[in-house]
Structures are given as structure tokens and as C-alpha cells.
């Protein structure tokens, strides 16, 4: 892979953090409505390792860009110019995740958003703005005890925050498609099962044109963490069984929109030995993914090799090109 699909990759940015404590795939921000002292995020009184790190993929050297020192770091994404990293960060002793940015050299940390809300899962937009997921919608999951987060956008400095989605349940993991649409996971249960439908949708960056992408008539699988496969019209993400799994674990799956939103032919699952999380596609047959304390390189037959083994849990490996 390093000689082929990943030959332009010098470094990989990733997060170390604790695993979520609840089995629900979405219960990872805020607190529980029956006990506000019970937090849904990792690090609530337990030992927590929160770090933003950078791996040199050829030498194996790891550089810590940010040590949260008891806080939690999650959702890093590298800017198009490969000079800075956008991520979500809950400082130790604080209750909320906010958006932050830092240089790929670990310099210039700055906070972009604030307030009594959780802002997370950000993505850079091509026009310089940021799209992200936030509890600013002030809603609670209708069938559980944790808060809802939906799509928002803001300027590059965190100003001008406005809502993009009006979903009554969660929207998650937005990613920009080559045609400018935003691909994301929408939990949709208007007049149907409250736990069976959480699939891929698209929306324009201004909030218009909301439409199904794949799976809206499928019961139970959770499709999440999807993003475009470079140079193709495919996307790759996670197919998690049932109502989803903690930390978005499941199987890497390649989706083809042209087959129709519910066609079996439009899905190809990569048969890895056990579930993984946070896939990053380079081609339809080459992916980065996280599994426990490892960053893996996975091929189209599900075979994997360990690119990096960490002493702590690893999430969201993102290449720096």
C-alpha cells in the first residue's frame, strides 16, 4: 500500500481516547437525563488517555500534537492544505466538547466554538467554512436518555453558527462529496421503528436538497462514518449490525449510489476478521481503519496489516498528504 495507493502519505493523524461507556452508538456526548452527574463521554472519573497524535508511516515515529491531560480528543480531520487539523476537544474538568484547530506541527492551538453545547464530528467545507454536529438543537433522543445532535455550519473562525438540519434525532459524521453535497448518517424514525433506520443521506451545504443516499428502507443496519473514495463515484463507510455498536464499530462497506438507494448490488462489504472502525478509503480496495489499539491497512479482500500499535485505544486515523 505504501508503494501504491498510499505512496503520497507521509503521516497519519489519529486520536487516543477512552472507549464510550454506553453500548448505544450515539451515546457519547452530554449527560443522562435521569442523572446529570452521569456523563456519556469517556473520562468521567475513570483513567482517560486523550491525545492528538501524528504517526510517520515509514519511520514509525509518533509525535503528540496535543495532550489533553485527562480530557478527551476526538474526530480529527486534516485541512485540504495539510497544514492544520480540525478536531473536537473536551478539556479536563469541563463538560462540553468544542471545536479546536491546531497546526500539523502541534503549534497554534485555537478554540473555535464555545457555550453549553457539544460540538463534534467537524469537516472542512471547500469554501472555507466548517460543517459539524452539535447539541445546539436542544433535543433528547425520544427512546433513550441522552441528547440529540444535528448538523450545523460556521465560519472558519467559529463565528456565524447556523443550523443545517432540523432532524428530531441524530445526524452524524458529515463528509463532503466531490459534487459538493454533504454525505451523512441520518437517524430517521418518523412513523416507523425507533431503532431500525439510521442510514446514509445527502444534503446541500446550505441545508437544502435533503435526500436519501443508501439504505432508507433497510431495517437495522447502521451505516456511518462514510466518505468518498478518491477518483470514483463510490463511498466507503461502516456497516454496523443491528442498532449499531459502541465507537461505531462494524465492517468496512463500499456503497455505489447509481444502483439505487436500496439495491443490494450497491453494497460491497469488506470481509475483515472482526469489526473495525473509522475507515479512510484510498481506493475501493485500500483503507486505513482502527481496531482497539491498532491502526490497520486493509485491502479489498479483508486482509489487514498493522501500521501502528499504540499502548492506548486508537480512533480516527486520518492521512496527511
Amino acid at each position: 500500500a505504501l508503494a501504491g495507493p498510499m505512496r503520497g502519505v507521509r503521516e497519519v493523524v489519529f486520536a487516543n481516547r477512552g472507549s464510550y461507556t454506553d453500548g448505544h452508538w450515539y451515546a457519547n456526548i452530554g449527560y443522562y437525563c435521569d442523572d446529570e452527574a452521569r456523563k456519556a463521554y469517556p473520562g468521567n472519573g475513570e483513567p482517560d488517555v486523550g491525545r492528538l497524535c501524528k504517526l510517520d508511516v515509514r519511520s514509525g515515529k509518533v509525535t503528540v500534537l496535543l495532550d489533553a491531560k485527562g480530557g478527551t480528543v476526538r474526530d480529527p480531520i486534516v485541512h485540504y492544505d495539510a497544514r492544520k487539523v480540525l478536531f473536537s476537544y473536551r478539556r479536563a474538568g469541563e463538560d462540553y466538547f468544542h471545536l479546536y484547530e491546531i497546526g500539523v506541527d502541534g503549534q497554534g492551538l485555537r478554540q473555535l466554538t464555545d457555550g453549553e453545547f457539544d460540538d463534534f464530528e467537524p469537516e472542512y467545507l471547500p469554501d472555507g467554512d466548517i460543517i459539524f454536529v452539535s447539541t445546539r438543537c436542544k433535543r433528547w433522543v425520544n427512546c433513550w436518555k441522552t441528547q440529540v445532535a444535528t448538523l450545523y455550519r460556521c465560519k472558519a473562525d467559529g463565528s456565524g453558527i447556523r443550523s443545517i438540519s432540523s432532524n428530531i434525532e441524530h445526524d452524524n459524521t458529515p463528509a463532503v462529496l466531490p459534487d459538493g453535497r454533504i454525505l451523512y448518517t441520518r437517524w430517521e424514525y418518523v412513523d416507523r421503528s425507533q431503532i431500525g433506520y439510521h442510514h446514509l443521506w445527502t444534503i446541500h451545504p446550505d441545508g437544502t436538497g435533503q435526500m436519501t443516499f443508501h439504505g432508507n428502507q433497510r431495517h437495522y443496519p447502521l451505516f456511518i462514518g462514510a466518505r468518498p473514495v478518491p477518483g470514483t463515484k463510490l463511498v466507503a463507510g461502516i456497516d454496523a449490525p443491528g442498532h449499531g455498536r459502541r465507537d461505531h464499530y462494524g465492517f468496512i462497506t463500499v456503497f455505489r449510489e447509481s444502483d439505487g438507494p436500496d439495491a443490494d448490488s450497491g453494497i460491497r462489504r469488506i470481509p475483515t476478521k472482526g469489526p473495525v472502525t473509522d475507515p479512510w478509503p484510498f481506493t475501493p480496495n485500500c483503507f486505513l481503519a482502527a481496531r482497539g489499539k491498532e491502526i490497520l491497512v486493509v485491502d479489498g479482500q479483508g486482509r489487514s496489516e498493522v501500521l501502528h500499535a499504540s499502548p492506548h485505544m486508537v480512533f480516527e486515523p486520518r492521512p496527511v498528504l
Side-chain angles (χ1 to χ4, degrees):
L2 292 179
M6 293 177 61
R7 60 184 174 274
V9 178
R10 299 190 303 272
E11 297 165 320
V12 170
V13 171
F14 64 93
N16 284 138
R17 63 166 172 80
S19 182
Y20 303 139
T21 56
D22 196 315
H24 291 74
W25 59 271
Y26 53 84
N28 51 48
I29 40 88
Y31 59 90
Y32 289 80
C33 64
D34 59 343
D35 181 3
E36 64 180 289
R38 182 187 173 205
K39 311 301 183 183
Y41 50 77
N44 181 30
E46 308 89 16
D48 183 40
V49 178
R51 293 190 181 97
L52 181 67
C53 299
K54 181 176 65 175
L55 167 71
D56 185 306
V57 298
R58 287 169 175 80
S59 72
K61 179 183 177 182
V62 174
T63 302
V64 177
L65 302 181
L66 176 69
D67 186 345
K69 297 181 179 179
T72 306
V73 174
R74 54 175 292 182
D75 312 321
I77 189 73
V78 180
H79 191 270
Y80 299 104
D81 65 11
R83 296 179 180 176
K84 54 189 177 182
V85 181
L86 177 66
F87 61 102
S88 187
Y89 175 26
R90 181 192 60 81
R91 290 181 178 270
E94 297 183 1
D95 289 330
Y96 301 101
F97 286 93
H98 301 303
L99 302 187
Y100 285 75
E101 202 170 51
I102 196 170
V104 294
D105 59 358
Q107 301 298 309
L109 176 69
R110 66 170 183 153
Q111 183 173 344
L112 303 182
T113 62
D114 58 17
E116 295 184 341
F117 308 100
D118 287 296
D119 302 322
F120 56 105
E121 295 180 349
E123 180 90 357
Y124 286 112
L125 293 173
D127 66 1
D129 282 6
I130 294 166
I131 191 164
F132 62 101
V133 176
S134 179
T135 57
R136 294 169 187 271
C137 58
K138 299 180 181 180
R139 295 164 197 157
W140 293 82
V141 174
N142 283 272
C143 59
W144 192 232
K145 304 175 183 179
T146 53
Q147 291 168 281
V148 165
T150 59
L151 297 176
Y152 283 75
R153 68 178 291 172
C154 65
K155 299 295 185 183
D157 62 0
S159 65
I161 295 174
R162 62 188 180 94
S163 175
I164 297 300
S165 164
S166 59
N167 194 6
I168 63 169
E169 297 296 342
H170 278 273
D171 297 323
N172 286 102
T173 60
V176 181
L177 292 173
D179 62 11
R181 291 177 297 164
I182 305 302
L183 177 70
Y184 69 104
T185 293
R186 175 182 168 91
W187 187 2
E188 171 62 71
Y189 71 61
V190 176
D191 295 330
R192 58 182 179 176
S193 166
Q194 75 270 32
I195 62 172
Y197 298 92
H198 13 58
H199 301 113
L200 300 180
W201 288 60
T202 59
I203 194 170
H204 294 151
D206 63 358
T208 63
Q210 185 173 316
M211 182 57 61
T212 58
F213 184 90
H214 200 98
N216 188 46
Q217 297 302 318
R218 290 176 177 270
H219 195 241
Y220 274 129
L222 166 70
F223 297 152
I224 199 163
R227 57 181 53 254
V229 179
T232 75
K233 294 184 178 181
L234 305 173
V235 304
I238 287 292
D239 176 344
H243 187 42
R245 295 293 185 267
R246 180 187 304 172
D247 295 312
H248 299 177
Y249 268 86
F251 293 89
I252 301 173
T253 301
V254 179
F255 300 88
R256 184 170 54 235
E257 183 184 19
S258 60
D259 285 37
D262 294 291
D264 289 338
S265 60
I267 298 178
R268 179 171 65 93
R269 179 186 278 191
I270 307 300
T272 53
K273 292 182 178 179
V276 298
T277 190
D278 302 319
W280 184 282
F282 294 98
T283 73
N285 294 297
C286 181
F287 315 86
L288 283 181
R291 182 183 63 195
K293 298 180 179 181
E294 299 172 331
I295 297 174
L296 306 176
V297 178
V298 182
D299 72 9
Q301 286 72 50
R303 297 171 297 191
S304 64
E305 290 191 12
V306 176
L307 181 65
H308 171 66
S310 171
H312 310 293
M313 297 291 285
V314 169
F315 296 93
E316 300 111 3
R318 302 291 184 244
V320 181
L321 302 179

